[in-house]
Amino acid sequence: MENNHDSPELDDELYEHFRFEVPKGQLLLRIDKFLMNLIPNATRNKIQQAASNGDIYVNDVPVKSNYKVKPFDVVRILLSHPPFENRVDPEDIPLDIVYEDDALLVINKPPGLVVHPGHGNYTGTLVNALAFHFENLPLNSSERPGLVHRIDKDTSGLLVIAKTEVAMTHLAKQFEAKTSEREYVAIVWGNVKEDAGTIEGNIARHLKDRMQMAVFADPEVGKPAVTHYKVLERFGYVTMVSCVLETGRTHQIRVHMKHIGHPLFNDARYGGDLILKGTTFTKYKQFVDNCFKILPRQALHAKTLGFVHPTTGEMMRFDTELPDDMKTLIEKWRVYAKSGLTSEEEDS
């Protein structure tokens, strides 16, 4: 879920805190229930109170909590104070800077670090760290300093940060035009049959679980998404794959890999925190539970990043090692796979 900050201040001194466009396939649903599914940590009472106060608008008209949303409605929450996300307090959080010059920097984000403030994470984010280490970073279209792109909280890896307006515009255009290069390494459940392949499918918010994204067959729903994958190593019950992004949709790799039957290992949001492949032996369950503890997040790392430098015109490519938690996990599966899985077990 994204907040829209393109026009946070309105003529009547109200500020837009949330904006949602109801998807094409949405069934009629009370607006308080609809918003409960979308806004983390929001209780139904709070939403109903906001409606009573006249803070919830549908197609620019205030509505009560019993209003039923329908496809293509534009739902907005307008309040008299600016969103917390617009206030960024500098915080002395260390950054792993891989490269830096006058126009940009490339950082290696650790797992667990939220990229920008929002819904329950107003401090301790990468943007707070950037505000401490750098002054006058350019704002992107969502009013967030320096950010050209982002990766999920529990995904580790490379991000490019713009230090000038020229760099922000130039780099944003590359990501939009799909000319940037992004390769991720993931560990997924199951033995991926093909050595390589391409996943195509529009991605939009899940119709039932609004905290998830999903793939839709209808070409008019969602945004086009393309992921190219290649098997790097097989461990029987799980597979290590390289994923190259052609587009950059929310949760794209996590959603696309689940769509082809291979959710990311320990991806709680998409069901990968359950034992999806393998035997019923207690020893195996203990092994997998131990693996979950070693890597308490989805097994995904943004390993390589490439783009044209906005001022020199040089093609720049960066590569990082896998973080320690993924290295340890891979080694454990490697040893387990070599310890004598039968072909019958591998097919389970």
Side-chain angles (χ1 to χ4, degrees):
M1 180 181 70
E2 277 295 302
N3 282 5
N4 185 331
H5 298 301
D6 291 341
S7 55
E9 189 168 352
L10 304 173
D11 294 338
D12 53 0
E13 295 301 316
L14 291 178
Y15 296 82
E16 183 175 286
H17 281 235
F18 298 97
R19 179 192 184 94
F20 307 105
E21 293 187 23
V22 181
K24 179 182 177 183
Q26 176 67 49
L27 301 175
L28 290 177
L29 182 67
R30 280 178 59 115
I31 196 163
D32 50 359
K33 287 188 175 180
F34 175 77
L35 289 173
M36 265 188 70
N37 291 331
L38 281 171
I39 305 174
N41 307 319
T43 64
R44 195 165 175 187
N45 280 343
K46 277 187 182 176
I47 291 168
Q48 289 175 343
Q49 185 62 49
S52 297
N53 294 341
D55 297 332
I56 300 177
Y57 289 70
V58 175
N59 307 325
D60 295 326
V61 177
V63 298
K64 297 304 180 188
S65 53
N66 63 353
Y67 174 86
K68 291 189 176 175
V69 297
K70 57 186 183 300
F72 307 116
D73 275 350
V74 176
V75 179
R76 299 193 300 158
I77 297 182
L78 305 175
L79 300 173
S80 59
H81 60 86
F84 289 114
E85 294 94 314
N86 282 355
R87 191 190 74 211
V88 176
D89 297 323
E91 293 179 57
D92 188 4
I93 299 167
L95 293 174
D96 181 1
I97 298 174
V98 176
Y99 172 85
E100 183 181 359
D101 62 25
D102 290 341
L104 56 87
L105 64 145
V106 175
I107 66 157
N108 186 17
K109 186 187 86 68
L113 180 64
V114 177
V115 170
H116 58 70
H119 330 313
N121 294 295
Y122 296 116
T123 60
T125 75
L126 173 62
V127 164
N128 296 106
L130 291 172
F132 180 88
H133 294 284
F134 301 96
E135 291 183 355
N136 302 319
L137 289 176
L139 299 180
N140 66 11
S141 61
S142 298
E143 304 287 317
R144 287 169 179 142
L147 293 189
V148 178
H149 61 128
R150 62 179 190 167
I151 55 180
D152 296 331
K153 171 187 174 183
D154 288 327
T155 300
S156 52
L158 294 172
L159 283 167
V160 60
I161 307 295
K163 292 172 73 176
T164 67
E165 294 285 355
V166 170
M168 173 66 76
T169 302
H170 196 286
L171 290 165
K173 282 181 179 174
Q174 290 184 58
F175 278 80
E176 192 177 336
K178 309 172 191 172
T179 57
S180 61
E181 298 175 5
R182 286 169 290 168
E183 182 198 8
Y184 291 68
V185 171
I187 298 159
V188 302
W189 276 108
N191 194 0
V192 179
K193 287 182 180 178
E194 304 294 333
D195 287 336
T198 296
I199 310 165
E200 295 187 60
N202 280 24
I203 290 178
R205 203 161 291 284
H206 197 291
L207 295 178
K208 291 182 180 175
D209 183 347
R210 308 293 296 172
M211 300 305 290
Q212 287 190 22
M213 307 301 285
V215 173
F216 290 82
D218 187 337
E220 293 184 20
V221 177
K223 295 180 181 178
V226 181
T227 306
H228 306 284
Y229 70 87
K230 180 175 65 177
V231 170
L232 299 176
E233 194 169 350
R234 299 176 186 277
F235 306 114
Y237 301 142
V238 299
T239 307
M240 178 163 57
V241 294
S242 157
C243 293
V244 173
L245 291 183
E246 195 172 302
T247 53
R249 308 303 177 204
T250 302
H251 299 175
Q252 180 170 319
I253 292 171
R254 300 163 69 184
V255 175
H256 267 175
M257 294 310 296
K258 179 181 181 179
H259 181 64
I260 64 167
H262 299 285
L264 266 59
F265 187 82
N266 210 11
D267 186 348
R269 182 161 291 183
Y270 291 96
D273 58 340
L274 304 172
I275 297 177
L276 300 180
K277 293 288 177 182
T279 71
T280 55
F281 297 135
T282 305
K283 192 174 179 183
Y284 174 73
K285 183 182 183 302
Q286 287 173 343
F287 168 77
V288 175
D289 285 343
N290 191 22
C291 287
F292 286 154
K293 288 174 186 168
I294 287 167
L295 187 115
R297 63 182 182 101
Q298 68 262 10
L300 186 61
H301 177 68
K303 190 173 189 304
T304 65
L305 179 64
F307 53 84
V308 174
H309 194 283
T311 51
T312 68
E314 178 189 355
M315 185 67 201
M316 308 193 76
R317 290 184 179 88
F318 299 92
D319 185 81
T320 52
E321 283 193 24
L322 293 178
D324 289 343
D325 56 359
M326 280 184 72
K327 280 184 182 174
T328 304
L329 179 73
I330 289 162
E331 191 51 41
K332 281 192 77 70
W333 275 107
R334 194 174 277 144
V335 169
Y336 191 87
K338 287 176 182 172
S339 67
L341 294 176
T342 67
S343 58
E344 184 180 325
E345 282 179 313
E346 287 192 12
D347 291 337
S348 64

